Amino acid sequence: MATLGTLASGLGHDLRNLVMPVLLRLDVVAATTDLPEKARMDLASIRQSILRLQRLAGGLRLLATDPFDQRDESQLTKLPDWWADLQPIVVDALSPHATVEATIEADLPVVAVPPGTLAQILINLVMNSRQAMEHTAQPRLTLRARAEDGRVLLDVDDNGSGMDQETRRRCFEPYFTTRARGYATGLGLSTGRALMNRYGGDLVLGEEQEIGTTFTLVIPVRVQTPLVEGTPKRVRLMVGDPRQLAMLRLIIRHRGFEELPITSTEGAHLTICDVDTLPRVLNGSVSTATNGSVNSIIAIGTPRPEPTPDAIRWVDPRDFSVLDDVLH
Amino acid sequence: MSCTDGLAGDYLGGGVAAMETVPFSVMCIDDNILLIDALESRLTMEPGFTGLHRVEDLSASVEAATRFQPSVVLLDIDLPGGVDAMSILDQLVAGLPASRVLMFTGYPSGDLVRRSMSRGAWGFVSKGTTAETLISAIRSVVAGQAVIELEE
């Protein structure tokens, strides 16, 4: 499996390197003046195919990451995008006449498990389902995600041969397998559950059902500690350095905060400024309080000799990771 | 029928205000020849574009940049052969402050973004984004804005 992972990683990387040049060239061709309508439609169709290929490359890359060391990966997953990357691979992993139905709504909350981890657990479930559906006339895999109590429950259901009592009892045991000796087993249910537990989630076998088997991934939703009670959390950025600004915008976007335009007269819950703009913030020339409550001020830089109110938190601009922690 | 998927035919030479014709050049420190050629072809559509420089010898990237003084350096973090992109970034930031570095990678992560931006990169683009996003990122950096574009 490690070899396959390495191959998948390389393949995913190579595919991506090919996709971007094609997209660029498509733009160039599409800019040709007096392009016939049919050609324009053909180009649009080619672009859609290439974007799907890009998704596939993304999915392959997810499968190639090390599920035990995801430190370099994003710790959050947007399930609809994640599924878009994986769907072609899941379809390919099943037999050609199998159908895949998925209900993964766009408004699901962001979950706090790396996409690669979820991908590998899912593929393991899919491979088990494939084996179970080997003699099923119309094999069908169904995925359904729903948000509930700070978690997203992802049901993975097949209409295969199901599991006997002993298998149901033992399926999470390490090394337990119903496959023929020598068959590659991939991640395993035991490992899959342990990985989910690591993130505060779980992998659960569903109730016995008449046909097939259902597993549920219990996936914790991203926790966002609000800075101020009540929503929405509005932030005003008054930072001159464009790079600091870009970083702050990224962090704020990930936290789900709302950035107020500088010209807005609405009050902010939090103002982030630098040493140059701090005086304007302090003398009240910029509206910072909302509903009479005291707002928080984060200043980027080194404190000047003049005393400043204690309410200000100072952050060293050389270390944006601290900023991330401060906002959390 | 109009294509709303961002094909170039639907926007006029770059989608940026006509008054923005700041001349700019781009240097690519990347081993993907297909990408570099395609990027050059696409950039010729952008107002102000004066040329693209390729780096033949990746280990001599900084010297090449010093020679050509590009406006933007597109730096591939995933360079082969043990070439250290972060070290190149440090040298460019120190020696060529007028050349703004845009990091480019197929393996984006929050940690990588933080490290790059903290060390002076002007932007960060994931290889999983669209051509439009890459071109827009280059234009933004030329215009003095920092850009972080991940697949979101």
Side-chain angles (χ1 to χ4, degrees), chain A residues 51-73:
Chain A
L51 288 175
R52 285 178 67 177
L53 195 62
Q54 192 176 43
R55 286 257 184 233
L56 180 66
L60 277 178
R61 196 188 79 73
L62 286 182
L63 290 176
T65 60
D66 180 351
F68 299 101
D69 183 4
Q70 296 274 323
R71 282 169 307 173
D72 286 342
E73 301 291 321

Side-chain angles (χ1 to χ4, degrees), chain A residues 30-31 40, chain B residues 1-13:
Chain A
R40 204 168 284 285
Chain B
M1 187 200 85
S2 73
C3 302
T4 55
D5 62 353
L7 277 184
D10 295 304
Y11 61 90
L12 308 169

Side-chain angles (χ1 to χ4, degrees), chain B residues 12-49:
Chain B
L12 308 169
V16 181
M19 64 181 189
E20 224 175 298
T21 50
V22 175
F24 70 97
S25 62
V26 177
M27 166 170 281
C28 289
I29 303 178
D30 194 320
D31 64 325
N32 185 352
I33 310 298
L34 281 175
L35 170 74
I36 298 171
D37 288 346
L39 184 61
E40 183 177 36
S41 179
R42 172 64 182 83
L43 282 172
T44 55
M45 290 163 51
E46 295 296 311
F49 177 63

Side-chain angles (χ1 to χ4, degrees), chain A residues 9-10 13 16-32 37 40-41 43-45 47-48 51 54 58 61 71-74 78 81 85 241-244 246-247 250-251 253-254 317-322 324, chain B residues 1 3 5-11 31-32 34-35 37-39 41-42 45 78 104-111 113-114 116-123 125-132 134-135 144-148 150-152:
Chain A
S9 173
H13 187 74
R16 274 206 185 168
N17 282 347
L18 293 171
V19 163
M20 184 65 87
V22 175
L23 288 173
L24 286 164
R25 297 275 187 189
L26 278 175
D27 279 358
V28 173
V29 174
T32 310
E37 189 58 25
R40 204 168 284 285
M41 287 172 65
L43 284 174
S45 186
R47 190 166 189 272
Q48 289 309 313
L51 288 175
Q54 192 176 43
R61 196 188 79 73
R71 282 169 307 173
D72 286 342
E73 301 291 321
S74 169
K78 291 187 181 177
D81 294 343
D85 281 0
D241 186 315
R243 291 180 297 106
Q244 289 173 6
M247 277 299 300
L250 181 71
I251 293 168
R253 199 159 68 232
H254 280 175
R318 289 166 302 180
D319 191 356
F320 287 123
S321 63
V322 171
D324 205 8
Chain B
M1 187 200 85
C3 302
D5 62 353
L7 277 184
D10 295 304
Y11 61 90
D31 64 325
N32 185 352
L34 281 175
L35 170 74
D37 288 346
L39 184 61
S41 179
R42 172 64 182 83
M45 290 163 51
D78 320 319
F104 198 38
T105 181
Y107 308 97
S109 71
D111 181 62
V113 171
R114 267 193 288 272
S116 305
M117 301 305 281
S118 294
R119 289 160 98 137
W122 272 80
V125 179
S126 163
K127 288 181 182 174
T129 56
T130 62
E132 196 178 336
L134 176 59
I135 299 302
Q145 295 164 32
V147 167
I148 300 172
L150 309 175
E151 305 136 74
E152 303 206 70

